[in-house]
Amino acid sequence: MTNLSVNINKIATIRNARGGNMPNVLKVAQDCESFGAQGITVHPRPDERHIRYSDVYGLRPLIRTEFNIEGYPCDKFIDLILKVKPTQVTLVPDAPDAITSNAGWNVKDNFNFLNELVDTFTSQGVRTSIFVGTELENIEWAAKTGTDRIELYTEPYASGYAQDREAAIAPFIQAAQHAKSLGLGVNAGHDLNLENLAFFSKNIPWLEEVSIGHALICDALYYGLQKTISLYKACLNNN
């Protein structure tokens, strides 16, 4: 079964738009868990435009499922991971001013950096995941770092799904199969939604986890949070 990790960044964005504490990010995370989410994801950025570092510290003792913290491993982020010790850290190569993640790592060019990070986090009992595209050689380099998992950057799949879903999924199946053969767990995330998630999950049934935020929160405006989480989980259990 593939786990659904709900990214709650957008909840923090709404809160920050008006100040105060409405909606309450910590309470929403707990509600997501009670509604069936198997994990909570946050992506703190240096400017704290959505999730704040203080939110991450506040969430740690409350999360009862898996806690995934993703982000670019600057010094402040590394320190956060070592203090919080989440279930998983997902290393993402986005610049501080990026609106959202838009590419995976070139692992070969950043191998020493990533290898050292994986060693550091693994020694503290934190599962590691490296955000990558579908290039097979790049996935091989990721495996050499000793990382536990990769997370496939799925925006190209989502963009091509409507026109030709078979062509869109093909490189992801190949990448996921190659990762599996190398002993890597496979996560996925970016632009997955109720339209395209079931097909992705059906074709990669050994997928460990999807992390979904923007689309899920948008859907929750219409369906409600509890119903939306159940709809996404249904997409993951259609095999």
Side-chain angles (χ1 to χ4, degrees):
M1 185 178 70
T2 304
N3 286 343
L4 171 65
S5 186
V6 176
N7 186 319
I8 59 171
N9 277 17
K10 283 297 181 292
I11 300 299
T13 300
I14 297 170
R15 175 199 62 189
N16 295 352
R18 287 285 297 268
N21 196 35
M22 185 183 294
N24 185 318
V25 170
L26 306 188
K27 178 66 164 55
V28 171
Q30 291 178 296
D31 288 340
C32 287
E33 288 186 311
S34 69
F35 295 154
Q38 292 115 335
I40 299 296
T41 292
V42 294
H43 188 146
R45 286 186 165 86
D47 61 6
E48 299 193 324
R49 63 181 180 269
H50 34 62
I51 286 291
R52 300 167 181 156
Y53 275 65
S54 60
D55 294 327
V56 180
Y57 288 113
L59 284 164
R60 187 65 190 102
L62 302 178
I63 300 301
R64 297 290 176 261
T65 58
E66 293 205 347
F67 193 19
N68 173 47
I69 304 177
E70 59 182 31
Y72 179 78
C74 62
D75 289 344
K76 186 177 181 181
F77 181 87
I78 294 170
D79 183 61
L80 177 74
I81 299 301
L82 294 178
K83 288 178 178 175
V84 172
K85 295 184 180 179
T87 316
Q88 176 176 272
V89 57
T90 301
L91 304 174
V92 181
D94 53 359
D97 60 348
I99 295 175
T100 186
S101 304
N102 55 19
W105 287 95
N106 181 325
V107 182
K108 183 178 181 180
D109 287 354
N110 295 278
F111 180 80
N112 290 336
F113 178 52
L114 291 170
N115 183 57
E116 182 178 343
L117 287 169
V118 169
D119 286 347
T120 297
F121 295 140
T122 300
S123 70
Q124 297 300 307
V126 179
R127 186 173 69 226
T128 57
S129 179
I130 297 177
F131 195 63
V132 295
T134 56
E135 301 84 358
L136 301 187
E137 183 181 6
N138 198 45
I139 293 171
E140 292 170 6
W141 278 100
K144 292 176 183 178
T145 68
T147 189
D148 300 291
R149 298 183 183 182
I150 57 168
E151 179 173 331
L152 292 172
Y153 169 56
T154 50
E155 189 277 334
Y157 163 74
S159 296
Y161 178 85
Q163 182 174 359
D164 187 340
R165 65 181 187 174
E166 297 289 348
I169 193 69
F172 289 88
I173 296 173
Q174 187 180 29
Q177 288 174 335
H178 195 52
K180 184 181 180 183
S181 75
L182 295 169
L184 294 171
V186 181
N187 298 339
H190 203 88
D191 287 353
L192 296 173
N193 57 39
L194 290 176
E195 179 182 3
N196 60 42
L197 180 59
F199 186 72
F200 192 90
S201 174
K202 182 178 180 179
N203 281 277
I204 309 176
W206 62 93
L207 194 64
E208 301 272 3
E209 173 191 291
V210 294
S211 175
I212 304 177
H214 183 79
L216 189 150
I217 300 305
C218 289
D219 289 329
L221 295 175
Y222 293 91
Y223 300 123
L225 187 57
Q226 183 171 6
K227 176 64 174 178
T228 298
I229 288 173
S230 70
L231 289 172
Y232 274 86
K233 289 182 67 179
C235 290
L236 296 171
N237 295 314
N238 67 341
N239 300 313

